[in-house]
Amino acid sequence: MTNIETIAETGSTNADLLARVQRGEALPEGHWLRAERQTGGRGRLGRKWESPSGNLFCSTVVSIGDGDPAPHTLSFVTALAVFDTLKRSLLTNTPIVLKWPNDVLVDGAKISGVLLERNGDTIVVGIGINVCHAPEMPDRKTTSIVSENGKHGGSADLVLSILAESFAARLARWRSAGLSATLDDWTERAHPIGSRLSLTPGDESPVTGEFAGLDNEGALLLRLENGAMRTIHAGDVSMIAQG
């Protein structure tokens, strides 16, 4: 059952839900916290997530149970839910591609951000989607639903209602069909096998190669220039333009 709690402003919806979980509050799956504005939004690798009014900033919780796939693979569940949401929110034939591990690109531009944080057996899933505005980022192109739709269709409330439905369906599939089904769904919607990638694993220097799919736990397989295969469990990925 979906329950959406909306507040006018906060530092971070993820931080708010984590604090509530840590205080012992029992938050059921399907509970979403949405802020109309965030003042301290965060993204992966400690990046700041810009939060102008009109965009969607929200978080929800997942309770990890016996038999669930590995908690970190919820990043694929979340990316697929955002993909499904954008498919329903953007004009038909708008090019949408998933980029490992949980980015969603629209015609090559970043439109969303995902942050997973854990407290015990509870995962707080934070999602930001550019609905009305595309904040500038120094290292990548950005876009929004409104700009892609020709300046119409910009309701964060409506986008969240679609997202909550999509997330519940993807979460149920992750549990019932197993991780392999979720990874297959993700791979079908991702940059194609053979795409050229530049990847920075942690504190290492960037490496380049070709996308060779995912292993059975969701790690990225990168075929290096010398033909060797490298398994990447964490890192920052950029797509290299073909040409």
Side-chain angles (χ1 to χ4, degrees):
M1 181 177 176
T2 299
N3 175 52
I4 296 174
E5 175 187 359
T6 301
I7 56 179
E9 181 177 299
T10 190
S12 160
T13 56
N14 255 39
D16 288 355
L17 287 191
L18 276 171
R20 289 163 67 172
V21 170
Q22 289 163 358
R23 289 197 300 267
E25 183 175 344
L27 292 170
E29 291 186 354
H31 183 91
W32 290 79
L33 176 64
R34 177 199 163 213
E36 294 176 349
R37 183 173 179 271
Q38 279 192 153
T39 58
R42 297 161 292 141
R44 287 184 63 248
L45 306 178
R47 294 190 181 98
K48 183 179 179 182
W49 181 260
E50 296 292 339
S51 307
S53 297
N55 285 352
L56 177 61
F57 324 107
C58 59
S59 299
T60 191
V61 295
V62 175
S63 299
I64 300 300
D66 294 340
D68 282 347
H72 75 271
T73 62
L74 283 168
S75 63
F76 298 101
V77 171
T78 310
L80 284 163
V82 173
F83 182 99
D84 296 341
T85 300
L86 291 171
K87 269 292 186 186
R88 292 173 58 183
S89 302
L90 294 172
L91 299 176
T92 304
N93 299 325
T94 301
I96 309 172
V97 172
L98 296 177
K99 179 170 74 70
W100 189 87
N102 53 35
D103 268 345
V104 185
L105 305 180
V106 174
D107 200 17
K110 186 176 178 68
I111 197 170
S112 64
V114 169
L115 179 64
L116 272 60
E117 297 182 284
R118 182 171 186 172
N119 182 78
D121 290 330
T122 300
I123 307 297
V124 176
V125 180
I127 302 170
I129 298 178
N130 295 339
V131 179
C132 298
H133 311 284
E136 292 186 7
M137 299 182 72
D139 57 346
R140 61 200 67 195
K141 185 169 68 168
T142 61
T143 190
S144 69
I145 290 174
V146 165
S147 60
E148 293 295 329
N149 283 350
K151 306 300 182 185
H152 68 84
S155 165
D157 284 334
L158 176 58
V159 173
L160 178 51
S161 69
I162 298 171
L163 176 63
E165 178 185 333
S166 299
F167 187 85
R170 287 294 178 182
L171 182 63
R173 177 166 169 77
W174 177 76
R175 285 178 166 144
S176 64
L179 178 58
S180 61
T182 291
L183 296 182
D184 286 347
D185 290 345
W186 185 93
T187 302
E188 288 175 8
R189 294 157 179 77
H191 39 74
I193 299 295
S195 296
R196 302 253 320 141
L197 303 177
S198 173
L199 196 147
T200 305
D203 296 331
E204 299 180 41
S205 299
V207 294
T208 58
E210 294 183 350
F211 176 58
L214 306 176
D215 74 3
N216 59 8
E217 293 297 324
L220 184 144
L221 301 176
L222 189 70
R223 190 178 303 279
L224 303 178
E225 309 290 351
N226 62 6
M229 190 73 72
R230 180 165 177 181
T231 302
I232 307 291
H233 295 279
D236 201 21
V237 175
S238 298
M239 298 179 66
I240 301 174
Q242 305 295 314

